[in-house]
Amino acid sequence: MLSLTPGSARADTIVVMGDSLSAAYGIDPQAGWVNLLKNRLGDEHEVVNASISGETTSGGSARLPEVLGQYHPDIVLLELGGNDGLRGLSPQQMQVNLSKMIERSQKEDARVLLLGIEVPPNYGPAYTDAFRDVFTQLARDYEVPLLPFLLEGVDLDTMLQDDGIHPTAEAQPIILDNVWSKLEPMLAPSAVAEG
């Protein structure tokens, strides 16, 4: 029997499930890293930004089934946890929520890229270490690629908005390059790419 699924030359659909860091909070949405990713990929890949400012891992976990059902992504970029951290929520619960999202995505045959974030040091070493370890543990347990810190290389003195939390437009190309370093190997080769 013939398969009705599209051929392997089909472009990937990429869904970004994130919070304000991916929703271009406080800047022109066109300048946000997700839109820059769309521009870099051109028409060869569909990029859907399902990010919501203020989103927690609990909210993302609740929303994910509908997003998966609507877009049937090949790749899911999970960029959640920052708001859990800022609210001092349990890293263990954050891990449970992200685990559910990874499992749900994989069940729908989507590959997952985990985009880690860190909380400010004033939360104390025990909390910041436990928070950071959630991402490392998830990447290990589910064998998914991990970008340990989304804002790696962003100058936190000069490239944050006045709230001291959200990156400026100038920081967005750096964030994109961070994500790209992990995302590019996951992309299906273009139909025109040579061996």
Side-chain angles (χ1 to χ4, degrees):
M1 185 171 169
L2 288 174
S3 169
L4 297 177
T5 55
S8 58
R10 177 181 62 92
D12 289 321
T13 297
I14 301 165
V15 162
V16 181
M17 284 292 293
D19 52 30
S20 55
L21 297 177
S22 298
Y25 177 87
I27 61 174
D28 181 343
Q30 298 300 310
W33 75 264
V34 178
N35 194 65
L36 297 179
L37 175 63
K38 289 181 186 180
N39 294 342
R40 180 174 289 189
L41 290 170
D43 295 333
E44 291 192 12
H45 302 273
E46 181 183 7
V47 179
V48 176
N49 194 351
S51 303
I52 297 178
S53 291
E55 185 78 287
T56 60
T57 58
S58 175
S61 181
R63 275 196 312 122
L64 183 63
E66 183 179 340
V67 171
L68 292 173
Q70 184 174 355
Y71 297 105
H72 306 287
D74 302 281
I75 299 173
V76 174
L77 275 56
L78 281 185
E79 182 275 302
L80 288 169
N83 289 304
D84 295 60
L86 292 175
R87 296 175 189 187
L89 301 179
S90 158
Q92 291 77 19
Q93 187 58 50
M94 181 176 91
Q95 184 163 348
V96 168
N97 294 335
L98 288 170
S99 293
K100 288 179 184 173
M101 296 182 76
I102 293 170
E103 288 173 11
R104 172 92 54 175
S105 299
Q106 291 178 336
K107 188 177 176 187
E108 300 295 325
D109 294 325
R111 290 165 289 146
V112 173
L113 170 56
L114 199 54
L115 305 178
I117 193 68
E118 296 185 359
V119 290
N122 60 307
Y123 281 74
Y127 187 84
T128 55
D129 288 348
F131 188 89
R132 185 183 301 120
D133 289 347
V134 165
F135 297 102
T136 307
Q137 190 67 46
L138 288 169
R140 187 182 304 125
D141 290 349
Y142 291 97
E143 298 181 344
V144 296
L146 167 66
L147 175 63
F149 185 37
L150 182 69
L151 304 183
E152 187 69 42
V154 172
D155 187 328
L156 301 181
D157 292 322
T158 63
M159 291 186 174
L160 293 182
Q161 298 175 42
D162 290 342
D163 61 13
I165 296 173
H166 296 98
T168 60
E170 289 73 26
Q172 302 300 311
I174 298 171
I175 297 171
L176 172 61
D177 285 343
N178 291 342
V179 173
W180 185 255
S181 69
K182 300 294 183 178
L183 176 62
E184 186 181 23
M186 300 173 68
L187 298 174
S190 163
V192 297
E194 296 293 331

